[in-house]
Amino acid sequence: MPILDLTDIKTVARYEEFIASSPYGHVMQSVNWAKVKDNWDSDYVYLQDEAGNITAALSILSVKNDGVHAFMYAPRGPVCDFRDIDTVKSLVKEAAPVIEKRNGFVLRMDPEFAYDEEVLAAYRNAGIDNLEITTRGADEHSFSNPRMHMIADISMGTHDDFLKTVKSKNKSKIKVPYKHGLKTLRFHRGDPQFEETLDKFYELTKIMAKRQGISYRPKDYFVRLFKAFPPEAVTLYETRTPEQEVLSCAIALGFNRKYFYIYAASSNEKRNLRPNYQMNNEAIKDAIEQGYTQYDMGGIYEVDSSGGLYSFKKAFCGEGGLLEMIGQFDWIFNSDAYSDFSK
């Protein structure tokens, strides 16, 4: 049965290679992502052809919120063409022993698949009695991961080519920090100043969270993130003034075709110098040099051009950079537990 044996090093490597190279692969489906989410259990299901080649996969994280029933989540899964309902159903069927072992009450999928009315209709008409779909029209904060992401196309060749796609008013914003002498430094796990820089990143994270009135993750979470992936895959950026005052930091993670601007934080000071614009511009430059074709700036909850998060990310991603995903697909195995969970 194609449930990944984590003690089989060769098969684990083959599974990870499939996720890392598939056009449907996402970093949250990587085996390494479970190392970041260390308080969750993890299981991996896959399909293969007659030659033994992996053709589809589903990485599942599980946590027992009530101590009995497990919420099972395949973030940005499955790794297959989501239009192929039979393949998706086959993955769920192969996951049955895992669902039983974990006492799962629901298996949630939220594929990185564009909103499509025809595909939604196909799932609704597929006769899947235990499937609950949440999509456009629901509270955007109700999704496990943001349903809308801003993604820059960086496949055009060079950084100069990319800048040609940026509107002149946004190019002017990018130039501001350079004119004031700001520098952006890069650090990787194992570098001499890495620990000190990570401490600064976390300090700015707390400052930013207080400013915006939001929660923030514990430092151990970010430590695990850097340890979970090869050192060269995760970069810690730091933008500072000529006087060595750190104004912003960010973590970027490269996987498959994408360079993820995954976490960022900034100071309350000298925000007029636009350090985040330089930091993203430098990260995009790195991503292009390393051969990535997309720069994922993460989620938004509303499309509002009057300012804020959407406007900032649109400066790099453009009008066409918005990816509205299809939504959440909950395969329900215990309706009572699911009802309690939903409340």
Side-chain angles (χ1 to χ4, degrees), residues 105-106 108 132 134 330 332 335-343:
F105 69 89
V106 65
R108 172 168 293 177
E132 180 77 20
T134 308
D330 286 353
I332 302 165
S335 56
D336 290 338
Y338 182 77
S339 179
D340 291 340
F341 172 78
S342 299
K343 292 175 184 177

Side-chain angles (χ1 to χ4, degrees), residues 240-251:
R240 56 174 64 170
T241 67
E243 296 76 30
Q244 307 305 306
E245 180 182 1
V246 178
L247 300 182
S248 64
C249 291
I251 298 173

Side-chain angles (χ1 to χ4, degrees), residues 112-139:
E112 189 178 73
F113 184 86
Y115 182 86
D116 189 309
E117 289 282 1
E118 291 185 5
V119 174
L120 281 170
Y123 272 91
R124 286 167 175 152
N125 296 327
I128 308 171
D129 295 334
N130 66 326
L131 180 62
E132 180 77 20
I133 302 173
T134 308
T135 183
R136 181 188 287 177
D139 179 357

